[in-house]
Amino acid sequence: IKSNVMENSYVNNVEIKKCLPNKIKLIIEERQADYAIQYASSYLYIDSQGYILEISNNEENLPIIEGFSTDLSNIKENDKLENSDFKKLDMVKKIMFTAKINEMANLITKIDVSNEENYVIYLATEGKIAYLGNGTELNTRFLYVKAILREQQGKSGEIFADVDLNSEYVYFRENI
């Protein structure tokens, strides 16, 4: 029973308990889709541990992650991202955690982790892209991004928070 239930990609763990006289109780711990990876016209939904939970044509309201090196051509549900992508996934989790603390997580539509020296978040509803640098001092960088979002409301453009915060200023460049 356990192995059959574990075949479902959304199931993380199953515990089976016998309830006398003639019943069993299944306790199922589920995985949750946290991020999406766009592949051709489909979306791969993954959890925070890197498991592929679902392959779907429907777009959910989850941040899309770009820049993983896992070969997606033969991937199927219940597979896991390659080990080389776990460092990138950890950075995605840090970015989303910091965004949540700063009440900005719902604004992030896409995260690009292809360049470890400059992570990029897309804030489509605001019409802005923010460059976060190598992931150091994320909270301070998000505070600057949040302030610029307030100041530059209604304007589309790029926020450059990838600067040395000790000697340079975070700035906004409006799209023309």
Side-chain angles (χ1 to χ4, degrees), residues 1 13 20 51 60 98-99 102 115 132 134 143 146 176:
I1 293 172
N13 193 21
L20 296 176
Y51 283 97
E60 299 291 328
T98 308
N102 288 285
N115 180 357
L132 300 175
N134 63 6
L143 289 172
K146 190 175 183 178
I176 299 174

Side-chain angles (χ1 to χ4, degrees), residues 3-12 31 53 77-78:
S3 62
N4 286 344
V5 173
M6 289 296 290
E7 287 179 12
N8 184 318
S9 59
Y10 278 94
V11 175
N12 188 40
R31 291 187 177 114
L53 303 179
E77 291 176 0
N78 232 356

Side-chain angles (χ1 to χ4, degrees), residues 76-92:
K76 58 189 181 304
E77 291 176 0
N78 232 356
D79 284 352
K80 201 168 183 180
L81 296 175
E82 292 177 5
N83 290 338
S84 59
D85 285 330
F86 287 136
K87 183 178 177 186
K88 293 177 180 181
L89 184 59
D90 283 341
M91 183 52 67
V92 167

Side-chain angles (χ1 to χ4, degrees), residues 26-27 39 42 67 71 79 98 106-108 118 129 135 140-141 152:
L26 294 177
I27 301 169
Y39 179 67
S42 300
D71 180 20
D79 284 352
T98 308
N106 61 334
L107 299 177
I108 297 176
N118 198 4
I129 299 171
T140 304
R141 294 178 196 281
Q152 304 297 332

Side-chain angles (χ1 to χ4, degrees), residues 14-80:
V14 177
E15 190 177 325
I16 301 174
K17 292 189 176 192
K18 211 173 187 182
C19 300
L20 296 176
N22 59 357
K23 294 183 182 185
I24 62 169
K25 182 177 183 180
L26 294 177
I27 301 169
I28 298 175
E29 180 185 331
E30 290 186 51
R31 291 187 177 114
Q32 172 182 320
D34 295 310
Y35 313 108
I37 300 171
Q38 191 166 6
Y39 179 67
S41 61
S42 300
Y43 295 92
L44 298 140
Y45 293 106
I46 64 172
D47 70 355
S48 61
Q49 296 175 338
Y51 283 97
I52 310 295
L53 303 179
E54 183 179 352
I55 301 169
S56 174
N57 292 329
N58 300 327
E59 184 178 0
E60 299 291 328
N61 189 21
L62 294 172
I64 296 172
I65 311 302
E66 287 184 347
F68 286 138
S69 57
T70 300
D71 180 20
L72 302 176
S73 59
N74 294 320
I75 204 127
K76 58 189 181 304
E77 291 176 0
N78 232 356
D79 284 352
K80 201 168 183 180

